[in-house]
């Protein structure tokens, strides 16, 4: 989340392929950081993202090293898939980075392997503050009573629309609109503009999670799936039917449009994605894009929650205090907030959120969307992600995509997904 510079479909495939086989951390070897005779400590910090993120992070680190001259930060960044491939190798060798960018999908997986440091003792020692965060966001980094990550940027699932096409079709999204109303709107858009109304909602795991939550279930439980084969059969049958009816973009077209989104390519009028990804459409396309409310089952509850990119630490580090001071600085210092902006999502600490004032319309709308969603009282707690969730997320998109392209029947696709999910949980 927050990896706005990459195609999310590529991201999910990479997550499943590169992080799925991480072995147990080695039980020998020294911690990741190093010290020197003059009392200077060096910590290693790794993240994924594009060059622009690296520039901003390096500017932020320069400020940190001014405040803490005895702590030096050695940096490393990769694309998403390369990051997790390298991390896997480092962790298996007992030498992961001291501090690194992380996401909720990976918390239980790496905690299970003893790789993540519980940061609560550092909070209790006064080296890291969990105060002054926007409501509820620090809960994203909690697992079984441990604080395994500190959020740096939050986001929530949203509906991005092509405003020109919606206006041309006379469709006006509104808070609390139902799925029936949304699907009726897709048909109206197709009929009046000859553009499919949606680019392929049924392959997005996080959207299906919202739909399940609206109906008293969830995609995940603490240790498995929170839905059954009948539920998924209904979801995928419905989605495939709308592709055949022409109101959802043909998955073959979606594939051809990559790395562009079919929304920005003009082959769809709406797309469900994380709110802070909205910037990609303005960069890729030549229409006018904006955020609309998530459809509901009951006219009120959207199932939404805050997700987050976060900073985690290695359980093998030799410098837990210095890491805690570094994380504290990176999430609370107002100057860092001004530098980073919404590159990794909406800033999570109140100090940074107040310090950064977006000048462009897109980022202003993203911030307003999160504020409005919070005020609406629809945000719940994030659904737990058990170990194996990253592999399952990738499988959901891949199998759903194959289904859309006519490579399998719904019944076979559903069975395949449940078989792969079971294997991922046991890995």
């Amino acid at each position: 989340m927050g990896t706005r510079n990459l195609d999310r479909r590529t991201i999910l495939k990479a997550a499943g392929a590169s992080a799925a086989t991480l072995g147990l951390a080695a039980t020998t070897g020294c911690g990741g950081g190093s010290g020197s005779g003059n009392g200077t400590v060096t910590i290693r910090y790794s993240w994924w993202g594009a060059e622009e993120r690296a520039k901003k992070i390096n500017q932020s680190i320069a400020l940190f090293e001014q405040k803490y001259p005895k702590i030096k930060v050695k940096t490393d960044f990769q694309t998403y898939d390369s990051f997790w491939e390298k991390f896997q190798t480092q962790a298996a060798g007992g030498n992961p980075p001291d501090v690194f960018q992380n996401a909720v999908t990976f918390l239980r997986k790496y905690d299970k392997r003893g790789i993540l440091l519980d940061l609560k003792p550092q909070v209790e020692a006064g080296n890291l503050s969990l105060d002054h965060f926007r409501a509820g966001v620090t809960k994203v980094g909690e697992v079984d009573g441990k604080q395994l990550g500190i959020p740096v940027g939050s986001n929530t699932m949203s509906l991005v629309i092509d405003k020109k096409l919606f206006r041309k079709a006379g469709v006006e999204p509104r808070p609390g609109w139902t799925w029936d109303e949304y699907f009726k709107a897709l048909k109206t858009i197709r009929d009046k503009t000859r553009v499919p109304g949606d680019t392929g909602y049924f392959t997005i795991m996080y959207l299906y999670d919202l739909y399940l939550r609206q109906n008293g279930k969830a995609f995940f439980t603490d240790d498995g799936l929170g839905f059954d084969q009948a539920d998924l059969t209904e979801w995928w049958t419905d989605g495939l039917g709308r592709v055949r009816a022409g109101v959802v973009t043909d998955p073959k077209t979606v594939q051809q449009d990559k790395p562009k989104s079919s929304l920005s390519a003009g082959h769809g009028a709406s797309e469900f994605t994380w709110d802070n990804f909205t910037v990609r459409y303005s960069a890729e396309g030549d229409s006018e894009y904006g955020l609309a409310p998530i459809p509901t089952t009951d006219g009120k509850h959207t199932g939404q929650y805050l997700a987050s990119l976060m900073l985690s630490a290695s359980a093998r580090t030799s410098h837990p205090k210095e890491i805690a001071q570094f994380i504290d600085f990176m999430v609370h210092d107002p100057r860092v907030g001004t530098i980073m902006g919404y590159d990794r999502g909406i800033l999570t600490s109140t100090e940074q959120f107040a310090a950064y004032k977006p000048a462009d319309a897109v980022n202003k709308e993203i911030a307003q969307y999160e504020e409005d969603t919070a005020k609406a009282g629809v945000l719940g707690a994030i659904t737990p992600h058990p170990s194996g969730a990253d592999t399952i997320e990738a499988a959901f998109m891949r199998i759903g995509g194959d289904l859309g392209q006519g490579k399998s029947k719904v019944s076979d696709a559903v069975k395949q997904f449940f078989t792969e999910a079971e294997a991922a949980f046991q890995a």
Side-chain angles (χ1 to χ4, degrees):
M1 305 166 231
T3 45
R4 72 185 193 207
N5 299 296
L6 299 172
D7 177 358
R8 181 154 182 80
R9 293 168 180 83
T10 302
I11 287 168
L12 294 180
K13 285 179 183 173
S18 60
T21 56
L22 178 63
L24 288 171
T27 53
T28 59
C30 60
S34 62
S36 66
N38 64 4
T40 299
V41 163
T42 299
I43 60 174
R44 293 158 52 219
Y45 173 32
S46 298
W47 67 91
W48 68 82
E51 289 280 354
E52 187 62 27
R53 179 175 296 173
K55 287 179 192 172
K56 292 176 177 179
I57 288 176
N58 284 326
Q59 281 180 269
S60 303
I61 288 171
L63 293 175
F64 172 78
E65 290 180 339
Q66 285 174 15
K67 182 173 181 179
Y68 295 95
K70 294 286 188 182
I71 307 175
K72 301 301 177 189
V73 183
K74 185 178 179 183
T75 63
D76 181 32
F77 79 98
Q78 315 278 335
T79 59
Y80 186 90
D81 52 347
S82 297
F83 171 88
W84 287 113
E85 286 168 8
K86 186 170 184 177
F87 185 87
Q88 170 182 309
T89 302
Q90 291 171 326
N95 194 30
D98 294 281
V99 61
F100 50 93
Q101 190 169 284
N102 205 354
V104 68
T105 318
F106 301 96
L107 290 181
R108 286 183 185 273
K109 180 168 197 160
Y110 296 149
D111 181 45
K112 182 179 171 183
R113 289 155 173 77
I115 292 165
L116 302 181
L117 179 70
D118 181 6
L119 292 163
K120 277 200 172 170
Q122 294 301 320
V123 173
E124 291 159 5
N127 299 321
L128 171 61
S129 174
L130 289 183
D131 296 330
H132 308 294
F133 279 93
R134 291 166 54 224
V137 75
T138 58
K139 296 285 184 190
V140 179
E142 278 188 26
V143 171
D144 302 331
K146 294 176 283 191
Q147 191 75 42
L148 300 179
I150 306 296
V152 293
S154 70
N155 53 11
T156 191
M157 279 299 291
S158 67
L159 176 64
V160 183
I161 65 170
D162 184 321
K163 290 182 177 179
K164 290 182 180 178
L165 288 174
F166 268 66
R167 278 198 297 265
K168 187 175 179 182
V171 173
E172 183 70 39
R174 60 173 183 79
W177 64 337
T178 64
W179 286 102
D180 285 344
E181 289 171 324
Y182 175 67
F183 291 135
K184 184 179 177 183
L186 300 189
K187 185 177 185 303
T188 301
I189 291 166
R190 195 279 316 270
D191 291 346
K192 294 193 175 180
T193 70
R194 297 187 177 180
V195 176
D198 180 277
T199 63
Y201 67 92
F202 59 93
T203 63
I204 303 170
M205 185 198 86
Y206 285 99
L207 179 67
Y208 188 43
D209 185 30
L210 298 197
Y211 178 80
L212 289 167
R213 287 161 64 97
Q214 291 175 18
N215 290 279
K217 299 187 178 185
F219 197 97
F220 290 121
T221 63
D222 282 337
D223 56 4
L225 297 174
F227 60 100
D228 58 27
Q229 293 196 22
D231 294 321
L232 184 55
T233 299
E234 181 182 16
W235 178 255
W236 272 350
T237 300
D238 180 85
L240 194 58
R242 295 184 198 281
V243 171
R244 289 170 177 158
V247 299
V248 170
T249 311
D250 185 334
K252 292 186 177 74
T253 302
V254 173
Q255 191 67 33
Q256 290 164 2
D257 286 335
K258 290 180 180 179
K260 256 191 176 186
S261 159
S262 287
L263 176 60
S264 42
H267 297 144
S270 67
E271 183 163 291
F272 290 95
T273 189
W274 300 103
D275 56 4
N276 66 306
F277 280 27
T278 311
V279 292
R280 80 169 285 196
Y281 303 103
S282 300
E284 289 179 355
D286 55 7
S287 191
E288 182 187 351
Y289 308 97
L291 291 162
I294 295 285
T296 69
T297 299
D298 63 1
K300 181 182 178 185
H301 295 99
T302 63
Q304 285 169 286
Y305 48 80
L306 288 180
S308 181
L309 275 184
M310 60 191 83
L311 296 181
S312 290
S314 166
R316 302 191 60 80
T317 185
S318 301
H319 308 294
K321 178 183 177 182
E322 288 82 1
I323 280 174
Q325 291 171 324
F326 175 71
I327 294 175
D328 188 78
F329 183 88
M330 295 299 272
V331 298
H332 287 293
D333 190 280
R335 296 170 298 171
V336 173
T338 304
I339 291 168
M340 293 305 302
Y342 296 160
D343 181 90
R344 297 176 295 190
I346 307 299
L347 295 157
T348 52
S349 71
T350 52
E351 302 103 321
Q352 292 188 349
F353 184 78
Y356 177 66
K357 303 296 181 189
D360 61 294
V362 175
N363 277 310
K364 283 181 180 176
E365 186 168 0
I366 294 168
Q368 191 63 51
Y369 183 83
E370 286 212 6
E371 286 192 355
D372 290 346
T373 303
K375 285 176 187 171
V378 297
L379 287 175
I382 193 167
T383 302
H385 282 54
S387 179
D390 56 323
T391 306
I392 291 165
E393 182 179 358
F396 189 84
M397 179 161 279
R398 169 173 44 78
I399 296 167
D402 287 347
L403 175 68
Q405 294 194 42
K407 294 180 181 178
S408 63
K409 295 187 300 184
V410 173
S411 57
D412 293 336
V414 170
K415 285 175 188 171
Q416 183 187 351
F417 172 76
F418 274 79
T419 298
E420 290 193 22
E422 188 62 35
F425 287 131
Q426 292 176 0

